Amino acid sequence: MSGRPTWQHFSWDHISMQTSFPHLAAPIHVGPFTLKNRMAVAPHGPFYADKGVLTQRYVDYEIEKAKGGAGLVIMSFGVANHKGPDVATSMFGGMVATWDKRNIPYFRVIVAGIHEHGARVFFQFGESAFRSKLAVSALPHLGNGLDWTPEMSKQDIADLMDSYARCAEVIAEAGLDGIEMHGHGDFFSDFFSLAINRREDEYGGCRENRLRFFLEAASVIRGVIGTERVLGARLSVYDLLPGSLPLEEGVEVARLLAASGWIDYLNIDTSIEPQLLEHIIPPMYVEQGYEVYAAEAVKRVVRELPIFTAGRIVDPQFAEDIIAAGRADVVTMARALIADPEWPNKVLEGRTADIRPCLGDNQECIGRAILGLPMGCTVNPAAGNEREWGIGTLQPAAEKRRVTVVGGGPAGMEAARIAALRGHDVHLIERSGELGGQVLLARQLPGRADIGKFLPWQERQLGNLPVRISLGMEATVDSVVADAPDVVIVATGSDWDKSGLAALSYLPIAGTTQANVLSVTDVMAGAEIGDAVIVLDLTGFVQAPGIAEMLATAGKSVELLTPYPRVGSTTLEFTYQRPFIMQRLATAGVVTRVDTSICSIEGMRVELMDSTTGQISVRDGIDSVIIVGGRIPQQGLAKALTGKGIECHSIGDCAEPATIGRAFGDAWQICRAL
């Protein structure tokens, strides 16, 4: 590609040594552009489009990342096949129909907003068998195993090339700086795969043939955008499928793509979607930087292009060390920059302790997006609400008020923080001797320590604000009234129920008042537990498996029961935590039994019922039964204060037991309006 600037390693001579992260701060040349730093927004789809068309919400979301200091924003995800199913009538309606020219005005606003903050913006698009019902080779349809997807024809391939050209035309006309080809669960990657690609024509067989589709697409796209824009590739070099694409083969694919001259950078990761999405967007059970080894392997053989890396990178020093060691040239982050878009600015300004941490719980981000819902964030309610709550929107209150917050869990701490930032006089009351609420217990579960990462952050923020904090103080109606508040925020939380009431059974379990029947709170508070244990999971979330693993690891004999057809079949399923939890349970020796409920408990005798057949069975010699059921909101104080005519707002679990994300959202909703 004559006339295109060649990539160079950047000289460090001009980098100010005032920053503790000189490698992250260093500019880098990518294609015809220079990125101002090595921190990039990894491509991810927030599902904010409306029937394939960008929205103001999408615009605000993307510009926020540039405001926060990222040197590059890689937008995603754009579906590319204009002959595929109607975007408007599927879960893909939240994604972008890249070929649709109605997106051009929105793209232009995004480009202007991102450029205003000195960053560059690329857009990632591709097309998969999952959406288009086309396949590299004949196989069952990924979305419905009953349907058979035939091998795509030469005409199908030509139509896809036409679609890629149409998409590139929209991107070019809209003025974006570049395009990234989506190659980790797409036709681009499916053609590479030794397992998926079983074609016998010029697109199958030898390595060069399996690369043909990708290179043809790259040449088509480059023919539209020219050399004045960037063309990059997100590339899985190890897809983890047996007999598919081993690392050494993937590295060679990367080398050949780089040598083709069509590509300006390689964004390296592993796994393949949708089969192994839990390895693409892993929860907290997976270590930080788990994919960097793949980028490092590519970088050893590809010297002519910048190499981007990803993989649950959340810590600035870890990111700095990746680049300092030469393992990659640019660090891309998705969830870390959703949790705190100002992550890059805070790093460069030496305020790393003020970075709002990503928990890796996957509940509000991919947990919503995978259901086709607009994405959010557990710890950052501004995600998707940037216009109302984003950077620079928090303003001082028109009138300073006395605010008493009762309860020092996530909701109460966040309410106190937001109220104080708005200039109110805030008093936070917590009956225990420590802030954190039920998260103090939740982070004790095996592998779940990261769920408590935001507590030190909240405490640091409160410590920097004029908030009075009273620990070990039981709030009563009289004591709160004596505080003379203008408004009271009640965040008294909830208590775990062990009666057995559940969504699948409205009848309590007989015998749950016995001393050997325990709730989640009892267990995490250190209650005595016998050697033979049954854990009944009525929620489908993390508490029951976590308790079962913890007890089994301590040497107890543990059986985990659930009336659901799968352990973790509710929240764990769509947050991609289930595969890791099931592996941990198996390693710990926990016996699992599904479609099973408890009818009654009498001493050490537990009567069980198969919820599909109604068959009754009995377990004798059970020392302890732990029932993980619903939570009962503690609303007494709020009701009593309301009866006194005091302005009172309930937030978090005491309003409605839910998630940490709901607690944060409640706090922002109420306290930004005070």
Side-chain angles (χ1 to χ4, degrees):
M1 296 298 295
S2 61
R4 183 177 57 180
T6 57
W7 177 69
Q8 308 165 26
H9 289 278
F10 193 81
S11 170
W12 298 99
D13 296 341
H14 305 293
I15 300 299
S16 168
M17 298 311 293
Q18 292 180 350
T19 175
S20 299
F21 303 94
H23 294 82
L24 288 176
I28 183 172
H29 303 300
V30 179
F33 301 119
T34 299
L35 305 183
K36 67 178 181 178
N37 60 48
R38 309 293 182 98
M39 296 170 281
V41 179
H44 60 280
F47 279 77
Y48 296 157
D50 180 13
K51 300 176 182 177
V53 179
L54 291 163
T55 60
Q56 185 63 52
R57 187 181 193 186
Y58 216 132
V59 170
D60 297 334
Y61 178 80
E62 300 296 350
I63 293 175
E64 188 88 347
K65 301 299 187 293
K67 285 183 183 178
L72 170 64
V73 178
I74 308 177
M75 295 179 61
S76 181
F77 176 77
V79 291
N81 185 5
H82 75 285
K83 290 189 174 182
D86 184 3
V87 177
T89 59
S90 73
M91 68 172 284
F92 295 91
M95 293 183 178
V96 180
T98 317
W99 66 85
D100 194 328
K101 291 194 173 185
R102 290 178 296 172
N103 284 309
I104 290 175
Y106 292 100
F107 273 135
R108 286 175 174 165
V109 176
I110 290 172
V111 170
I114 288 176
H115 284 180
E116 181 183 348
H117 296 283
R120 293 291 177 178
V121 54
F122 304 161
F123 188 78
Q124 184 197 73
F125 66 74
E127 193 65 38
S128 69
F130 181 71
R131 190 187 91 89
S132 283
K133 294 191 178 181
L134 296 173
V136 171
S137 299
L139 49 74
H141 183 244
L142 290 169
N144 178 2
L146 296 176
D147 291 342
W148 190 260
T149 306
E151 179 175 289
M152 69 172 69
S153 66
K154 299 288 181 62
Q155 185 58 53
D156 292 328
I157 292 175
D159 288 343
L160 282 170
M161 296 301 165
D162 179 49
S163 289
Y164 297 147
R166 289 172 183 243
C167 294
E169 287 168 1
V170 169
I171 298 300
E173 187 176 342
L176 279 85
D177 300 309
I179 289 171
E180 182 172 282
M181 300 167 71
H182 179 264
H184 68 179
D186 192 284
F187 295 135
F188 298 137
S189 57
D190 287 357
F191 272 95
F192 299 155
S193 169
L194 292 164
I196 297 173
N197 187 347
R198 299 185 297 278
R199 300 177 70 99
E200 297 180 355
D201 60 7
E202 67 267 35
Y203 291 96
C206 67
R207 181 184 296 140
E208 287 72 19
N209 280 359
R210 288 182 285 112
L211 274 172
R212 190 181 306 277
F213 180 89
F214 197 113
L215 292 176
E216 287 182 357
S219 69
V220 166
I221 295 169
R222 179 64 77 185
V224 173
I225 66 174
T227 57
E228 60 272 12
R229 289 185 172 82
V230 170
L231 179 58
R234 183 73 179 261
L235 182 64
S236 173
V237 294
Y238 180 26
D239 66 16
L240 307 181
L241 294 178
S244 181
L245 189 71
L247 181 60
E248 58 272 19
E249 176 75 5
V251 170
E252 183 60 16
V253 166
R255 187 189 69 78
L256 292 172
L257 288 177
S260 72
W262 298 116
I263 305 298
D264 290 310
Y265 72 89
L266 292 172
N267 191 354
I268 301 299
D269 66 359
T270 63
S271 192
I272 190 169
E273 61 179 72
Q275 296 95 328
L276 294 168
L277 264 171
E278 67 270 18
H279 291 283
I280 295 175
I281 314 164
M284 63 185 69
Y285 299 103
V286 175
E287 70 274 13
Q288 178 179 203
Y290 69 98
E291 291 183 312
V292 176
Y293 74 92
E296 184 176 15
V298 171
K299 189 163 169 55
R300 282 196 292 265
V301 300
V302 176
R303 299 291 184 179
E304 64 269 36
L305 298 181
I307 304 301
F308 294 17
T309 191
R312 199 175 170 248
I313 297 168
V314 295
D315 176 66
Q317 190 60 56
F318 186 89
E320 171 76 7
D321 292 344
I322 290 171
I323 300 175
R327 303 178 72 191
D329 301 299
V330 173
V331 171
T332 72
M333 297 165 283
R335 288 172 291 174
L337 300 188
I338 298 170
D340 194 340
E342 295 184 272
W343 197 100
N345 281 340
K346 290 176 180 178
V347 166
L348 298 178
E349 294 166 6
R351 298 189 292 123
T352 57
D354 290 327
I355 292 174
R356 186 189 296 110
C358 171
L359 309 184
D361 65 337
N362 281 359
Q363 286 176 226
E364 303 295 329
C365 51
I366 188 61
R368 288 179 56 84
I370 203 64
L371 298 175
L373 299 172
M375 188 196 69
C377 177
T378 294
V379 296
N380 181 22
N385 300 295
E386 285 77 15
R387 179 148 296 222
E388 297 79 21
W389 291 351
I391 297 169
T393 61
L394 189 64
Q395 299 298 317
E399 176 187 358
K400 183 174 182 178
R401 307 177 74 186
R402 290 175 58 86
V403 179
T404 298
V405 180
V406 181
M413 294 172 73
E414 193 66 2
R417 186 181 76 89
I418 296 296
L421 284 171
R422 298 201 67 221
H424 296 303
D425 181 0
V426 181
H427 183 197
L428 174 60
I429 301 171
E430 165 57 37
R431 67 181 177 182
S432 74
E434 187 176 3
L435 295 173
Q438 293 202 29
V439 176
L440 295 172
L441 303 179
R443 68 183 181 182
Q444 296 179 38
L445 294 175
R448 302 286 298 177
D450 279 5
I451 201 68
K453 282 169 58 175
F454 69 89
L455 294 181
W457 176 82
Q458 281 187 313
E459 289 186 282
R460 174 182 169 82
Q461 305 311 305
L462 291 175
N464 292 332
L465 294 167
V467 176
R468 290 183 297 134
I469 300 176
S470 297
L471 299 177
M473 176 178 173
E474 183 76 42
T476 65
V477 172
D478 289 342
S479 67
V480 171
V481 170
D483 213 28
D486 298 309
V487 60
V488 179
I489 309 294
V490 179
T492 47
S494 61
D495 289 335
W496 286 92
D497 180 32
K498 63 174 186 176
S499 70
L501 292 173
L504 297 183
S505 174
Y506 294 124
L507 296 176
I509 297 171
T512 57
T513 58
Q514 293 180 181
N516 67 335
V517 180
L518 308 171
S519 70
V520 173
T521 305
D522 296 331
V523 174
M524 303 311 295
E528 184 176 345
I529 299 171
D531 292 329
V533 184
I534 284 179
V535 179
L536 176 64
D537 182 10
L538 300 174
T539 68
F541 197 39
V542 298
Q543 289 83 6
I547 288 171
E549 180 190 348
M550 180 178 67
L551 297 178
T553 302
K556 300 183 185 300
S557 174
V558 182
E559 189 170 4
L560 175 62
L561 314 178
T562 180
Y564 291 100
R566 282 158 65 89
V567 173
S569 62
T570 56
T571 308
L572 294 186
E573 197 79 65
F574 55 82
T575 58
Y576 297 109
Q577 299 181 72
R578 186 179 183 278
F580 301 99
I581 286 176
M582 295 306 296
Q583 183 178 24
R584 297 175 69 98
L585 290 174
T587 301
V590 175
V591 175
T592 60
R593 182 170 173 179
V594 300
D595 292 321
T596 303
S597 299
I598 294 177
C599 299
S600 65
I601 306 165
E602 186 175 351
M604 300 176 69
R605 183 178 187 274
V606 181
E607 186 179 67
L608 310 179
M609 183 180 73
D610 186 304
S611 55
T612 59
T613 66
Q615 184 177 352
I616 301 295
S617 60
V618 173
R619 293 284 192 276
D620 285 313
I622 302 300
D623 299 307
S624 302
V625 177
I626 300 163
I627 297 179
V628 183
R631 286 173 289 168
I632 303 170
Q634 297 305 295
Q635 300 176 336
L637 180 62
K639 290 180 179 178
L641 289 170
T642 301
K644 293 279 188 181
I646 296 174
E647 181 183 343
C648 182
H649 303 275
S650 296
I651 63 174
D653 278 1
C654 78
E656 180 183 343
T659 62
I660 297 171
R662 167 66 184 271
F664 270 67
D666 284 356
W668 282 47
Q669 189 75 50
I670 296 298
C671 294
R672 277 179 166 259
L674 286 180

